[in-house]
Amino acid sequence: MDLDFLIGWPGVYLAIALFIILCIFLGVRIVPQSEKHVVERFGRLRSVLGPGINFVVPFLDRIAHKVSVLERQLPNASQDAITADNVLVKVETSVFYRVTEPEKTVYRIRDVDGAIATTVAGIVRSEIGKLELDQVQSNRAQLIERVREQVTAMVDDWGVEVTRAEILDVNLDEATRAAMLQQLNAERARRAQVMEAEGKKRSVELAADADLYAAEQAAKARRVTADAEAYATGVIAAAIKENGLEAAQFQVALKQVEALQAVAVGQGKQTILVPANALEAFGDAFKMLKGRGV
C-alpha cells in the first residue's frame, strides 16, 4: 500500500509538470514580423497579436486567423468604359494594397480581393465617364490620383490601405483608332499648310521691309546730294556776289575745261567732233585760268 502511494505521487508531479509545460506552450505565441494574428475567446474577438512574443490564456483563447500584412497586388484587370464624348475604351488597371486592421478585414468582408477589384472598376468607369478621350490620354496622372483617393476612402471600413492604383493602358477599338489616325493626319496637313502660309507671309513682309529700307537709303542719298549741290550753289552765289561777273565766267570756263578733258580721256584712237565755238570758249577759259594762276 505504501509502495503504491509512493509510486503514485511522482506520476502526479509528472502530470502537473507536463500540464504546466503545455500551458506555457499554448500560452506563448510568437508572431512573425510579416503577420498579425486574430485571437478569439469562445468565438468572439479577443485581441490582435502583433509581431514578437505574445501571451494568451490557454484553452480559452485560440488563434483564429493569421493575416499577412505584406503589400499585395491584385491581378491586372480590364474593363470597358465610355468617355464623355461617347468613345468606348478598354482600361487595364493594377491595384496594390496591404492590410492595416486585420480584425476589420476578417469580420467585415469575405473576399477582400474581389471587393477591391469591383470597387476599382466602378470608380474607373465613373471617372473616365467625366472626361473626353483627349483628356483621358493627357491627364492620366490626375485620373490615377482621383481613382486612388476614392478607392482609399471606400475600402477604409475593410481595414485595408490602397498604396497604389495604376491605369496601365487605355486601348481603343480598331474603328476608333482608324478615325483618330485620320483626324491626326488631317491635323498634321492643316498645320503644314498654316506653316507654309506663315512662311510666305513672312517672306512678303521681309521683302517689303527690304524695299522700304532701300527707298529710305535712296532718299537719304538724294538728300545728301541735294544738300551738297545747295552748298555748292551757295558758295558760287557768294563768290559771284563778292567778285561779280568775273567769278561766274571763271566757273563756266572751269567747267568747259573739265568737260573737254573728260572727252579726251579714252583708250585707242577716237575721233572727236568739237563745235567751232568750243575752241573759242576753250581759249577764253584758258586765258581766264591763266589769269587766275591755275
Side-chain angles (χ1 to χ4, degrees):
M1 184 68 180
D2 293 337
L3 182 61
D4 293 337
F5 177 78
L6 293 176
I7 295 176
W9 277 108
V12 174
Y13 293 149
L14 180 61
I16 293 174
L18 292 176
F19 178 76
I20 293 174
I21 293 173
L22 180 62
C23 290
I24 295 174
F25 178 78
L26 296 177
V28 177
R29 288 288 183 264
I30 299 177
V31 181
Q33 182 67 38
S34 60
E35 294 181 355
K36 287 186 178 181
H37 293 178
V38 178
V39 178
E40 292 182 352
R41 178 176 294 180
F42 303 119
R44 298 187 61 180
L45 174 65
R46 173 61 181 175
S47 63
V48 177
L49 305 182
I53 298 178
N54 298 269
F55 299 95
V56 297
V57 178
F59 306 107
L60 298 181
D61 297 339
R62 71 181 186 91
I63 305 299
H65 303 279
K66 296 180 179 180
V67 181
S68 173
V69 296
L70 296 177
E71 188 172 7
R72 310 178 190 182
Q73 179 185 7
L74 294 180
N76 294 347
S78 297
Q79 58 265 351
D80 295 333
I82 299 177
T83 61
D85 49 352
N86 295 324
V87 177
L88 178 64
V89 296
K90 183 176 291 295
V91 184
E92 184 176 358
T93 59
S94 177
V95 179
F96 295 80
Y97 76 94
R98 64 187 183 89
V99 176
T100 57
E101 299 177 84
E103 63 276 16
K104 293 183 179 180
T105 306
V106 170
Y107 296 111
R108 291 190 178 182
I109 188 72
R110 180 182 296 274
D111 183 6
V112 64
D113 289 355
I116 294 176
T118 303
T119 302
V120 170
I123 292 175
V124 168
R125 291 192 183 98
S126 176
E127 290 297 325
I128 289 181
K130 300 176 183 178
L131 303 175
E132 295 184 355
L133 180 61
D134 294 340
Q135 295 174 328
V136 173
Q137 298 287 357
S138 59
N139 300 327
R140 185 175 296 185
Q142 292 82 350
L143 177 61
I144 292 173
E145 183 63 23
R146 289 200 298 269
V147 170
R148 192 185 68 82
E149 290 177 355
Q150 294 192 35
V151 172
T152 301
M154 296 188 68
V155 303
D156 183 63
D157 290 341
W158 301 335
V160 299
E161 176 188 5
V162 175
T163 56
R164 294 175 58 190
E166 300 289 343
I167 296 180
L168 302 179
D169 199 4
V170 179
N171 297 316
L172 306 173
D173 57 7
E174 292 299 328
T176 304
R177 192 184 299 274
M180 290 186 62
L181 181 60
Q182 185 177 1
Q183 180 181 1
L184 180 61
N185 292 333
E187 180 65 18
R188 288 176 178 174
R190 185 189 68 81
R191 290 182 181 179
Q193 293 177 357
V194 170
M195 293 181 63
E196 183 179 359
E198 290 289 342
K200 291 181 179 179
K201 178 182 177 182
R202 184 60 180 164
S203 177
V204 171
E205 291 176 351
L206 292 177
D209 291 342
D211 294 340
L212 179 61
Y213 178 78
E216 290 177 351
Q217 295 302 316
K220 290 181 180 179
R222 288 196 296 269
R223 181 178 179 180
V224 172
T225 302
D227 292 342
E229 292 178 353
Y231 177 77
T233 303
V235 172
I236 294 172
I240 293 174
K241 183 177 180 180
E242 292 178 2
N243 302 318
L245 185 60
E246 183 180 358
Q249 291 176 347
F250 173 76
Q251 290 294 329
V252 172
L254 183 60
K255 293 294 183 182
Q256 289 176 346
V257 172
E258 292 176 354
L260 291 175
Q261 287 178 350
V263 171
V265 175
Q267 297 179 357
K269 297 181 179 180
Q270 337 182 32
T271 302
I272 302 174
L273 299 179
V274 180
N277 58 353
L279 297 176
E280 296 177 0
F282 179 76
D284 295 339
F286 183 75
K287 291 177 180 180
M288 294 183 69
L289 293 174
K290 186 175 180 181
R292 288 278 183 173
V294 179

